[in-house]
Structures are given as structure tokens and as C-alpha cells.
Amino acid sequence: MRKNEEDQTAMLVRCGTGVVLGGAAALLVSLAVLLLASVAISRGALGEGLLYQVTVAGCVLGSFAGGLLAVRRCGARALIVGLCTGGVLFLLLLTVGVLLFDAHSVEQGGIGLACGCLCGGAAAGLLGSGKKKSVKKKRRK
């Protein structure tokens, strides 16, 4: 392989690793948010009717945190990396839901979870890119 191809392969591996690590971090953050929400519901601070909204908010926050981690690790194509991280989080949630519960989570509000995961990842991609636009100064004559 040529050096350029080796550089592209190394970048692809780095971005892939970042996306998977970001997805795992997003899952941990989502579970932490859901744990806090379950404590708040059991104490009566939140109503049980807000359970679905809190779940989607946990997905958004988790995917945002994991997307920021993945974007910082990859450095290029931040929006795509953030969206992929949100997709990985949704697939992890879907896998856990199918393995541990009898009901299929796609049929019971899975679209909202998917949108929350993708929106959080996209927000991380847009906000976490770190590239600042340069402002060209005009020369005065």
C-alpha cells in the first residue's frame, strides 16, 4: 500500500474506534440519566406520565456526550461521526431491549428513541467540531 492509503486506513480505524467508544460512553450516560430519573420518579418528584419524554431526553444527552467524545477523537467529518455515534447508541439500546425484555422496543416508541439518538449525535457533530471560521480582513488602500 502507498503511504496515502496507509494514512486513510489509520484515520478510518481511529474514527471507527472513536464511534464505538462514543457509543459505549453514550450508553453509560443514558443509563445514568435514566437511573436519576427513576430515583426522581420513585420519590415523587416526577410523574410516571413523563417516562417516555425522560427516556428520549436521556438518549439525546447520552448521544450528545458520546458524540462529543467521538468527534474529538476523530477530528474530521464531525457531523457524520456524530450521527454514527447516535446510530450506535440506538442499536445498543435496541439490542439490550430485545435481549432483556419481551416487547420489541421499535414498536413501542422506538422511532422517538431513534430520533433522539440521531439528534443528540448530530448536535455533538455540529457543536463539537472545534473548527472556527476564519474571517478575512480587507486591506485598506
Side-chain angles (χ1 to χ4, degrees):
M1 284 194 305
R2 290 182 266 168
K3 186 172 181 167
N4 190 18
E5 292 175 357
E6 291 175 2
D7 292 341
Q8 288 178 350
T9 304
M11 184 178 173
L12 183 64
V13 168
R14 188 175 68 235
C15 286
T17 305
V19 166
V20 172
L21 287 176
L27 181 65
L28 291 176
V29 171
S30 295
L31 290 176
V33 168
L34 292 177
L35 178 67
L36 292 174
S38 67
V39 168
I41 289 173
S42 68
R43 288 190 177 180
L46 286 176
E48 288 184 33
L50 297 175
L51 184 64
Y52 183 69
Q53 289 85 356
V54 169
T55 305
V56 173
C59 288
V60 171
L61 291 175
S63 136
F64 182 74
L68 283 177
L69 178 75
V71 165
R72 287 184 183 152
R73 188 171 175 95
C74 185
R77 294 186 174 88
L79 182 60
I80 295 172
V81 170
L83 285 171
C84 287
T85 304
V88 166
L89 173 63
F90 177 69
L91 290 177
L92 287 172
L93 290 174
L94 186 66
T95 302
V96 168
V98 167
L99 289 177
L100 298 180
F101 302 107
D102 294 333
H104 297 287
S105 56
V106 173
E107 297 166 352
Q108 297 177 349
I111 300 299
L113 294 178
C115 291
C117 291
L118 291 175
C119 287
L126 291 174
L127 297 176
S129 64
K131 294 181 181 178
K132 296 181 180 178
K133 297 179 181 177
S134 62
V135 178
K136 295 182 180 181
K137 295 181 181 179
K138 295 181 180 179
R139 286 195 283 167
R140 294 184 181 208
K141 293 183 182 181

